[in-house]
Amino acid sequence: MILVGRPEDVPPGDAVRIEAGGGSGLPIAVFNVDGEFLAIDDTCTHQDASLADGWVEGCTVECPLHAACFDLRTGMPSGPPAKTPVRTHEVVVADGLVYVRVAESVEAAA
Amino acid sequence: MRAVAVIGGSLAGLAAARALREHGFDGRVIVVGDEERLPYDRPPLSKEFLAGKIGVEDLALTTDTDADLDLDWHLGVPAAGLDVRGRSVVLASGRRIEVDGVVLATGARARPFPGARLAGVHTLRSLDDAVALRDELLAGGRLVVIGAGFIGAEVASTARDLGVEVTVIEADPLPLGGVLGPELGAACTALHEDNGVRLISGTPVTGLVGTDRVQGVRLAGGRSEPADVVVVGIGALPNIEWLAGSGVDHDHRGVWTDAGGATNIPQVVAAGDCTFSYCPYAGVDLRQEHWTNAIQQPAAAVESLLGLPVAAARPSAPYFWSDQYGARLQFAGHRLPDDAVEIIEGDLGSRRFVAGYRRRGELVAVFAMNQPKLFGKWRRQLVAPALAELS
């Protein structure tokens, strides 16, 4: 598991980007949706943009570049231009700290 | 309708073909493209692709699931004529395709520099253009970019990263002033000099120097600027000439359509860079040569074609972005010369800010430098002035 930080490091409605290391090594974005932490791959599947920079509304993040939207729980895109889901990752809060368990693949994460 | 031809094999054409299937059209869909390639994404051509960071395969716009669309591709031959009465499209090869409906999505092409064609002079619109330019930039040397618009600035930025000595020449004394206003235009063009690229503004280029290969550009006033490679970034022209005599209303500004992409001819709609359409944010008709428009407008055009209610009744604001010198620039809405501009987040000097444009107190446009998240927030608050007046 990868340590994200303390819960207060990710304010509600906001996100932080962490380097995943190992596995795919792709960065991961961890979102705080009304106190619940959700993690997905940080990189939009449509084109290289950081989803941690995206606008969060409810349980959806909008890519800051082309406005593709992804469901933070499932990683599924809700419409064009993105067609491929982002991987979701399990978030564990333990001992007052937030961790991410990096998924191996989209299938494994779903 | 049993057969629809989509004329144009790029982003808007692909979006139209997808929209046809999404709306349940199960007839034949013929996509005509003048390039030999399946649709590819153009924005990276001046950035990651030109820099050699990504390859041709990374540009593909079609995905595995597009095979399910069952499209009939006609690539490598442009459309040469539209015979409305005969319900057919004629290709440059002479082939005639009979159809019941047509989506015009032929896009635009780079405006060439007038005069003789010299080796070393490039425009950047197609993948082939980008490959040709990349080959010459890798050799280093001196690059002169004619035009300090977004394409020119992106090429200058990428070339600078490749170690090329770059000069940008702009006829307008206030580069980008027309789009962003003078203050923010200046904030963007300052990025050139911050990054070691020389900007000469207020100076038109009057000609090219060289016999077979370009050796420089001649500036108003008589002096010349030496160049090994020249990139011409002076705008685009809609690909509409092939519609001459078709009866479809169009002129040099594009194919005239309503907000739903309908032309004056039933069963002929248009979308993307080739269209000249009313924009409620601008309050006038204009051509929106933006990626977002090319992906959104086809859906409305297809709804019009199929006789469905057009969802574009509440349009989203025109939007474009540009990446230059590591800075991300984003703009949504439409600016008029007398709109009031104010910095609403951050400050100009930090190169991280959001600016808002107000018309009669209403936020009508927003521009951000290196503030993608806040840009997303403010973009949602834009109002379309022309729509507001109606309600």
Side-chain angles (χ1 to χ4, degrees):
Chain A
M1 288 200 293
I2 299 172
L3 174 64
V4 178
R6 296 166 301 163
E8 54 269 36
D9 294 337
V10 193
D14 214 336
V16 296
R17 177 169 48 240
I18 57 169
E19 300 303 325
S24 69
L26 294 170
I28 290 171
V30 183
F31 295 82
N32 178 341
V33 179
D34 301 328
E36 182 185 2
F37 296 96
L38 296 164
I40 59 173
D41 274 353
D42 181 55
T43 310
C44 179
T45 56
H46 165 247
Q47 211 165 71
D48 194 4
S50 165
L51 294 175
D53 283 337
W55 185 253
V56 178
E57 208 156 79
C59 214
T60 300
V61 62
E62 181 189 273
C63 170
L65 197 50
H66 298 148
C69 288
F70 294 91
D71 187 309
L72 293 172
R73 294 177 194 278
T74 63
M76 295 302 290
S78 58
K83 304 202 88 184
T84 312
V86 287
R87 295 187 309 167
T88 56
H89 305 279
E90 186 188 351
V91 180
V92 178
V93 182
D95 305 329
L97 292 170
V98 180
Y99 298 88
V100 167
R101 196 191 306 274
V102 181
E104 290 305 314
S105 67
V106 173
E107 287 72 28
Chain B
M1 279 196 298
R2 287 166 305 166
V4 171
V6 176
I7 313 301
S10 192
L11 181 63
L14 179 62
R18 285 174 176 162
L20 279 163
R21 294 304 188 209
E22 278 161 20
H23 284 103
F25 178 72
D26 61 2
R28 206 171 148 223
V29 176
I30 304 110
V31 185
V32 175
D34 62 344
E35 290 182 73
E36 286 277 4
R37 304 172 186 283
L38 286 169
Y40 58 88
D41 212 20
R42 296 182 197 276
L45 295 179
S46 55
K47 307 187 260 291
E48 300 92 333
F49 183 81
L50 188 60
K53 292 176 185 166
I54 63 171
V56 172
E57 63 286 357
D58 299 306
L59 299 174
L61 283 173
T62 48
T63 65
D64 295 344
T65 55
D66 284 323
D68 302 339
L69 298 176
D70 191 22
L71 306 179
D72 188 353
W73 294 96
H74 280 59
L75 298 177
V77 180
L82 178 63
D83 177 356
V84 169
R85 195 163 293 171
R87 290 177 164 269
S88 56
V89 175
V90 182
L91 305 187
S93 61
R95 181 168 182 172
R96 180 175 282 265
I97 302 172
E98 290 185 17
V99 290
D100 311 303
V102 179
V103 182
L104 307 174
T106 43
R109 62 186 183 276
R111 183 192 294 271
F113 192 82
R117 294 181 64 87
L118 298 175
V121 179
H122 298 260
T123 51
L124 181 48
R125 184 84 191 177
S126 69
L127 209 163
D128 289 345
D129 292 343
V131 168
L133 176 59
R134 189 169 69 179
D135 287 348
E136 293 213 319
L137 289 182
L138 290 175
R142 293 164 301 184
L143 169 69
V144 169
V145 178
I146 303 174
F150 292 108
I151 278 285
E154 289 174 2
V155 170
S157 164
T158 304
R160 185 67 191 150
D161 250 9
L162 293 171
V164 175
E165 187 187 312
V166 187
T167 302
V168 178
I169 300 173
E170 167 60 48
D172 198 321
L174 299 170
L176 297 176
V179 183
L180 302 177
E183 306 93 333
L184 295 173
C188 291
T189 50
L191 293 171
H192 292 299
E193 307 219 341
D194 284 3
N195 289 277
V197 167
R198 198 154 58 104
L199 173 67
I200 301 173
S201 55
T203 312
V205 171
T206 56
L208 301 173
V209 183
T211 45
D212 297 321
R213 186 176 174 90
V214 73
Q215 293 174 313
V217 300
R218 193 171 295 116
L219 305 179
R223 78 184 168 100
S224 294
E225 192 65 37
D228 303 304
V229 181
V230 169
V231 171
V232 180
I234 54 174
L237 304 169
N239 295 322
I240 39 74
E241 291 80 359
W242 68 285
L243 290 169
S246 66
V248 174
D249 280 342
H250 70 281
D251 63 13
H252 64 284
R253 297 169 300 184
V255 179
W256 302 355
T257 80
D258 69 8
T263 71
N264 61 312
I265 305 285
Q267 309 306 341
V268 177
V269 299
D273 285 9
C274 71
T275 62
F276 184 72
S277 313
Y278 181 73
C279 169
Y281 285 82
V284 294
D285 291 283
L286 49 82
R287 197 166 72 246
Q288 276 193 50
E289 297 168 48
H290 301 319
W291 190 95
T292 337
N293 185 53
I295 206 166
Q296 290 174 345
Q297 199 182 16
V302 162
E303 286 159 356
S304 296
L305 182 66
L306 299 177
L308 301 168
V310 177
R314 196 177 177 286
S316 59
Y319 164 64
F320 65 84
W321 79 95
S322 179
D323 290 330
Q324 309 164 18
Y325 305 109
R328 170 150 297 162
L329 316 178
Q330 293 172 288
F331 184 87
H334 185 87
R335 170 194 170 270
L336 294 181
D338 53 355
D339 291 341
V341 59
E342 59 178 322
I343 303 298
I344 49 185
E345 307 266 7
D347 63 271
L348 282 177
S350 70
R351 304 269 191 266
R352 261 174 77 82
F353 63 88
V354 180
Y357 299 81
R358 290 186 189 280
R359 194 174 310 157
R360 293 187 291 276
E362 303 252 48
L363 189 71
V364 293
V366 59
F367 172 79
M369 183 182 285
N370 294 322
Q371 282 288 15
K373 183 174 290 199
L374 290 171
F375 175 79
K377 169 186 155 188
W378 284 97
R379 178 188 183 180
R380 279 168 174 68
Q381 299 173 37
L382 294 179
V383 294
L387 290 183
E389 280 167 18
L390 291 175
S391 59

